[in-house]
Amino acid sequence: MNCFSLAMQNPEGTIQALNPLSLLLLAAVLYCQPLSAAPLTASETRGKQLYLTGGSPSGKPVQALVGPESAKLAGADVPCAGCHGEDGESRPEGGIVPPDITFEHLTLPYGRNHDNGRKHPAFTADTLITAITVGIDPAGNRLDAAMPRYTLSASDSADLTAYLKRLSSDVDPGLTDTTIDLGTVLPTRGPLAAIGLAMKAMLTAYFAETNAQGGIYHRKIRLKVAEFTGDADSTTRNVRRLLETEPVFGLIAPFAANLERNILLLTESRGVPQIGPYTLFPEDDTLRSRAAFYLLPGLNSESIAMVDYASDVLQLNNTAAMVISPENAPIQKAVDAIEQRSRIRSLGRVTRYAYPSSQFQPQAITAEFEKQPSPEVIFFFGSDLDLRRLLQHVERLAPKPYLFVSGALTGSNVFNEAFRDRIFLSFPAQPREPTQADEFFRLIKRHKLATHHLTAQAVAYSAARLLMEGLQKTGRALSRKKLITALEQIDRFDTGLLSPLSYGPNRHIGSREVRIIPASPGR
């Protein structure tokens, strides 16, 4: 598989020095539980959902009374985490400073003296629920009016209390005080093994250098690989095993091939970030890809760019067009995009010809030409070998058709003298001045990596660089949700070989630019 050429800058590290004061170290030992605690129980899991979303796992409505007037709101409008934070340690906002509600802090034996003069002894599980539902502290004092009072069932109260006891030690899978475990999905055996091994070697080299520089906020990165077998069922089982039994914090540059949807369903259901999936079919709907971040536009975007080029540059209008493609469901979506865009741009009627994968028969296509006027433009989505066989059979056509192909599917060396100035390739756009590519090649040289699959290596390298940017922006207090938020704030991130990458809550494809270039000798 051929795709695109990418690279990124060398990471900066952003490492902070540890405070050596023994008092702080003692406090950490006494009050901070280490990361990588045991998995949440069923009750704690339900309590976590209630804490983060304000909604009961039972489906029963949770009501909140807010302010002196006891305004009624849905619990989902004012979830606990909205004010107290995902970690319970709270952040000042709008002049209000919510208290730390980690259970260790609430149950300190000497109680608490608040800045406003309110004092109370340590909370217990019962007095904590009283505070949450009635707004009264253990000393009988009324809490600040900004604190909502929630209507909770007995089971919801028990679940929420169970989770609050675990709040300070609840961390995402694959994360400890000293490590971040990442996973990827790669073919390391079979016909695609060379590509998978090249990507694995690149990721291993990149993270080895990151770790040698101190890691990311003193955490070292470890890589785990699930085997891409080419079979949907076995690959899906391997990915599920990676996420469940060898928990990883996120997936980096997974080789999706035709299993994008399978892998996406597994990761999205668990909130696992996917950084830079190696795919031609990125999911454009952020409702289905809340945690997946793609580097480049896919085949659908290339299809639209092909039609626009035919209309704007070649000045084709109301012409006969044909799309030739294998019977592949994802590719058929790109064919749909050709048809839809052709109607919008008045390119003309589009005839579709789909052939069984691995059974390309150019004679059947030329027979189609005899049944109807020969197409003036052909959009071809087959392999490089299929394209060469097609060109041999359509050389006799006069006039010869314009031919649009994806460089991701066929490669770039498709020049044919008989079709000079008639073949055009689509590629994701690259920056005008790739100034940062040198570090990519220096990394290859330092680790003596093979260069037979530079495209795949570049995808892996770029995904790792994007991840590092997100981790640095997130900081030491790392979680999957915080990483996703940090990535959504990246704007025009210059990788050196890609058009600048930008993301947002409703945009998870970093670059949407596509170039159309004429095939030429030696390109």
Side-chain angles (χ1 to χ4, degrees):
M1 180 184 294
N2 201 329
C3 203
F4 11 76
S5 296
L6 338 162
M8 277 187 163
Q9 298 176 351
N10 208 19
E12 295 298 331
T14 318
I15 301 172
Q16 298 175 338
L18 294 174
N19 192 324
L21 295 179
S22 58
L23 181 61
L24 292 182
L25 291 176
L26 177 60
V29 171
L30 291 176
Y31 301 121
C32 297
Q33 298 185 38
L35 296 178
S36 70
L40 297 180
T41 65
S43 177
E44 291 165 348
T45 300
R46 293 192 299 268
K48 180 175 183 178
Q49 178 180 334
L50 182 56
Y51 179 83
L52 293 177
T53 69
S56 171
S58 68
K60 298 178 181 178
V62 174
Q63 188 179 76
L65 304 178
V66 183
E69 304 300 324
S70 295
K72 295 181 179 180
L73 296 174
D77 294 329
V78 282
C80 304
C83 291
H84 295 285
E86 290 183 41
D87 55 10
E89 296 179 3
S90 307
R91 306 290 185 271
E93 185 174 352
I96 299 175
V97 184
D100 184 331
I101 61 167
T102 56
F103 207 73
E104 295 80 7
H105 186 82
L106 292 175
T107 57
L108 289 172
Y110 49 77
R112 178 76 187 276
N113 293 332
H114 294 267
D115 293 339
N116 62 3
R118 181 167 62 87
K119 298 187 295 183
H120 60 78
F123 278 92
T124 65
D126 290 338
T127 57
L128 178 57
I129 290 301
T130 300
I132 293 171
T133 58
V134 183
I136 300 295
D137 72 16
N141 302 310
R142 185 162 295 281
L143 302 182
D144 191 286
M147 169 65 185
R149 284 87 67 199
Y150 298 89
T151 58
L152 299 177
S153 67
S155 59
D156 283 342
S157 296
D159 291 340
L160 182 58
T161 302
Y163 180 65
L164 289 175
K165 292 179 180 180
R166 283 289 307 272
L167 181 59
S168 63
S169 63
D170 179 31
V171 295
D172 287 321
L175 185 66
T176 74
D177 285 318
T178 58
T179 60
I180 302 174
D181 285 340
L182 297 176
T184 189
V185 186
L186 297 173
T188 61
R189 297 188 293 271
L192 297 174
I195 294 176
L197 292 173
M199 296 179 71
K200 179 182 177 182
M202 173 55 68
L203 290 171
T204 300
Y206 184 92
F207 292 135
E209 294 206 353
T210 299
N211 292 339
Q213 296 170 15
I216 181 76
Y217 293 104
H218 301 295
R219 288 189 176 106
K220 301 297 179 66
I221 294 177
R222 302 187 300 191
L223 185 67
K224 300 179 180 181
V225 180
E227 181 69 23
F228 177 92
T229 66
D231 173 72
D233 290 339
S234 59
T235 299
T236 300
R237 284 196 300 271
N238 291 342
V239 176
R240 182 179 290 110
R241 186 181 306 114
L242 181 68
L243 299 179
E244 294 178 353
T245 63
E246 301 180 62
V248 293
F249 182 74
L251 293 185
I252 182 74
F255 186 94
N258 290 327
L259 301 180
E260 292 90 348
R261 188 62 180 159
N262 301 48
I263 297 173
L264 191 64
L265 286 173
L266 288 174
T267 55
E268 290 294 312
S269 65
R270 295 164 173 79
V272 178
Q274 277 196 71
I275 314 300
Y278 189 22
T279 176
L280 291 174
F281 305 101
E283 176 55 65
D284 198 30
D285 187 348
T286 49
L287 293 178
R288 291 194 291 267
S289 63
R290 295 180 183 274
F293 291 83
Y294 302 92
L295 299 175
L296 296 171
L299 208 57
N300 292 1
S301 296
E302 291 186 38
S303 298
I304 293 172
M306 290 176 183
V307 175
D308 287 346
Y309 189 95
S311 178
D312 296 335
V313 179
L314 302 182
Q315 297 291 301
L316 298 179
N317 182 54
N318 195 26
T319 186
M322 174 177 277
V323 185
I324 302 174
S325 66
E327 294 174 342
N328 177 293
I331 288 182
Q332 291 308 307
K333 294 181 180 179
V335 177
D336 293 340
I338 291 279
E339 285 191 333
Q340 294 167 9
R341 194 66 173 181
S342 295
R343 287 195 295 269
I344 293 172
R345 299 307 308 272
S346 301
L347 181 63
R349 184 176 63 87
V350 177
T351 301
R352 302 170 69 139
Y353 183 88
Y355 59 89
S357 298
S358 303
Q359 297 183 32
F360 181 67
Q361 297 179 341
Q363 301 91 335
I365 296 176
T366 53
E368 287 291 318
F369 295 162
E370 297 175 358
K371 299 177 184 178
Q372 54 192 330
S374 298
E376 296 176 59
V377 57
I378 294 175
F379 302 96
F380 185 77
F381 292 103
S383 68
D384 176 67
L385 177 61
D386 290 348
L387 175 62
R388 295 181 186 282
R389 295 174 61 196
L390 174 67
L391 290 175
Q392 293 174 0
H393 281 77
V394 298
E395 283 185 353
R396 62 180 179 80
L397 293 180
K400 289 183 172 55
Y402 291 106
L403 199 63
F404 286 86
V405 299
S406 170
L409 295 173
T410 62
S412 58
N413 187 22
V414 298
F415 177 76
N416 183 293
E417 184 62 41
F419 284 84
R420 179 180 286 271
D421 301 325
R422 311 291 285 189
I423 301 177
F424 300 89
L425 296 110
S426 61
F427 288 101
Q430 298 177 348
R432 305 298 176 261
E433 297 180 2
T435 58
Q436 303 298 330
D438 288 347
E439 180 53 34
F440 170 65
F441 289 103
R442 282 196 292 266
L443 180 66
I444 289 176
K445 185 175 181 180
R446 286 194 298 269
H447 291 265
K448 300 179 180 180
L449 304 181
T451 57
H452 302 300
H453 298 282
L454 282 175
T455 294
Q457 290 169 301
V459 171
Y461 177 81
S462 299
R465 290 305 313 275
L466 177 62
L467 172 65
M468 287 299 106
E469 180 72 5
L471 290 174
Q472 288 172 356
K473 288 182 176 295
T474 303
R476 175 69 184 176
L478 180 60
S479 71
R480 288 170 172 172
K481 187 173 181 180
K482 289 178 181 178
L483 174 62
I484 290 169
T485 299
L487 289 169
E488 288 180 338
Q489 295 172 354
I490 288 178
D491 182 50
R492 298 190 64 77
F493 180 57
D494 184 6
T495 66
L497 287 181
L498 293 179
S499 296
L501 301 176
S502 297
Y503 298 93
N506 297 312
R507 173 177 175 171
H508 280 203
I509 300 177
S511 171
R512 296 181 178 275
E513 297 184 43
V514 176
R515 283 194 307 162
I516 304 294
I517 59 175
S520 60
R523 181 180 289 277

